[in-house]
Amino acid sequence: MKKHIPIILIYMSLLFLWAGCTEKKIKLGKDINFDKEENIHYGKSAEQIMDLYIPQIKTTQEKNVFIMIHGGGWRSGNKSQLTFFTLSMMERFPDYIFVNMNYRLASASNFGLPNQTDDIKKVTELLKNKLGYNPNVILLGNSAGAHLSMLYAYKFDTDKKVKTVINIVGPADLSDPGFKNYQEYSFVEKRLVDPQIQKAGTSLIDFASPVKWIDENSAPTLSYYGNSDRVIPSSQEKILDSVLNKNHIFHESYSFNGGHLDWDQHPNDQFLIDKIETFLKKTDKK
């Protein structure tokens, strides 16, 4: 009888291979090679670090960049959560540069915003200096990382270098009654936004809600939500799609079978990567 290898052993093997790679190179296939630089500091905080992967493709064409932003409720999580998904993305998009970033986490002594959107800005500035050009950016985040991706793209991307947002199970309207059932909602109300940056006439919750900043110039958005997600209610997807439609923003939205953490499980992960590839081809033509 054929023996099936436990999935945990497969992941352990991948982790061993990952750790065993030479410091500055990574090979993902016959012709897929990246230079890698891990834990680059882009700010003074110990949390302001990122991993950078640059394809070993000789070309004079400026490469676009995927910036991967992890979840964790704005106050936990680490870029390592997206390592394996980033590797899968690199296999599918071997001519893109990839960044997998940490950001300053919210706490009892530190607000999430504007620190976390400022950190995305700092990463783009480092890339501009390191690459010698100001690259077009695709922001890909899950959960809180998806929220930050949308908020940065719709509100804080003043030079309009974010060309696409990949929103994976992200909260888009924090004032949605359905989202108020989120078990950490009191933290969202009290510690997500520094009151000093509150815009006159705008509540802190509205300020932090990506949908409140969507206009006719917002970035195209691909969304991915779980059909049994107990953290992000289905109303979030509907609200986001409605506002994007109202502003005539090119967007697509898909659902997967599973809960909040199941988006990167097989076959959900490959379905998402397929949709990202198709979506980028469509946006390139616009």
Side-chain angles (χ1 to χ4, degrees):
M1 180 181 293
K2 184 178 180 180
K3 294 184 179 179
H4 294 283
I5 301 174
I7 190 69
I8 186 64
L9 293 181
I10 295 174
Y11 275 106
M12 288 176 66
S13 298
L14 287 171
L15 185 61
F16 176 79
L17 289 171
W18 170 252
C21 290
T22 57
E23 267 189 31
K24 297 184 179 180
K25 307 287 182 184
I26 181 166
K27 185 178 181 66
L28 295 174
K30 181 180 179 182
D31 298 311
I32 303 176
N33 300 284
F34 284 79
D35 292 322
K36 70 173 181 176
E37 194 172 349
E38 295 179 317
N39 297 323
I40 301 170
H41 287 269
Y42 64 85
K44 295 180 180 179
S45 168
E47 295 178 311
Q48 291 174 305
I49 58 173
M50 56 177 254
D51 299 336
L52 176 65
Y53 308 92
I54 299 178
Q56 295 177 353
I57 298 176
K58 294 182 179 180
T59 176
T60 57
Q61 185 177 357
E62 295 180 351
K63 298 180 180 68
N64 296 334
V65 179
F66 275 98
I67 297 180
M68 320 291 278
I69 308 176
H70 69 80
W74 300 280
R75 57 177 176 175
S76 65
N78 186 280
K79 59 184 170 65
S80 63
Q81 297 169 203
L82 291 180
T83 295
F84 287 114
F85 187 72
T86 299
L87 291 173
S88 295
M89 288 287 292
M90 288 161 61
E91 281 191 284
R92 183 65 65 90
F93 302 98
D95 54 346
Y96 282 74
I97 294 168
F98 282 82
V99 168
N100 190 10
M101 65 175 285
N102 277 355
Y103 49 85
R104 287 172 289 176
L105 300 175
S107 66
S109 57
N110 293 298
F111 292 100
L113 300 172
N115 281 348
Q116 293 169 353
T117 47
D118 283 352
D119 284 353
I120 298 173
K121 180 67 173 178
K122 288 178 183 293
V123 167
T124 65
E125 290 172 347
L126 183 147
L127 287 170
K128 181 179 178 180
N129 293 331
K130 197 172 185 70
L131 299 175
Y133 63 92
N134 196 8
N136 291 329
V137 169
I138 301 160
L139 294 181
L140 184 154
N142 70 292
S143 195
H147 163 268
L148 294 173
S149 297
M150 291 186 285
L151 185 62
Y152 181 83
Y154 304 154
K155 166 65 176 167
F156 295 102
D157 179 29
T158 55
D159 58 358
K160 296 298 178 184
K161 297 306 291 184
V162 177
K163 298 305 178 184
T164 309
V165 177
I166 311 299
N167 157 41
I168 306 170
V169 299
D173 184 357
L174 306 188
S175 66
D176 171 26
F179 183 66
K180 290 182 179 180
N181 293 323
Y182 175 52
Q183 63 179 2
E184 302 292 339
Y185 194 74
S186 61
F187 161 80
V188 173
E189 290 182 301
K190 298 174 183 177
R191 301 303 307 170
L192 183 57
V193 184
D194 185 342
Q196 293 186 27
I197 69 166
Q198 184 177 10
K199 186 176 179 180
T202 304
S203 70
L204 293 177
I205 289 296
D206 281 352
F207 183 90
S209 295
V211 294
K212 304 300 182 181
W213 305 106
I214 293 173
D215 61 26
E216 65 275 8
N217 297 312
S218 294
T221 303
L222 171 64
S223 297
Y224 201 41
Y225 286 98
N227 57 19
S228 57
D229 193 330
R230 296 183 180 180
V231 178
I232 302 299
S234 60
S235 54
Q236 289 285 295
E237 179 180 7
K238 295 172 184 175
I239 292 170
L240 176 59
D241 285 347
S242 175
V243 178
L244 291 170
N245 273 325
K246 182 179 178 180
N247 286 276
H248 308 290
I249 301 303
F250 178 63
H251 67 284
E252 293 178 358
S253 184
Y254 298 94
S255 63
F256 59 87
N257 292 323
H260 192 65
L261 301 177
D262 296 326
W263 63 271
D264 64 347
Q265 303 301 307
H266 186 76
N268 299 334
D269 55 348
Q270 289 304 309
F271 178 86
L272 173 59
I273 292 173
D274 290 343
K275 293 305 180 184
I276 292 172
E277 183 175 30
T278 302
F279 191 75
L280 293 181
K281 288 177 180 178
K282 293 177 181 177
T283 56
D284 285 344
K285 294 178 181 179
K286 290 188 175 292

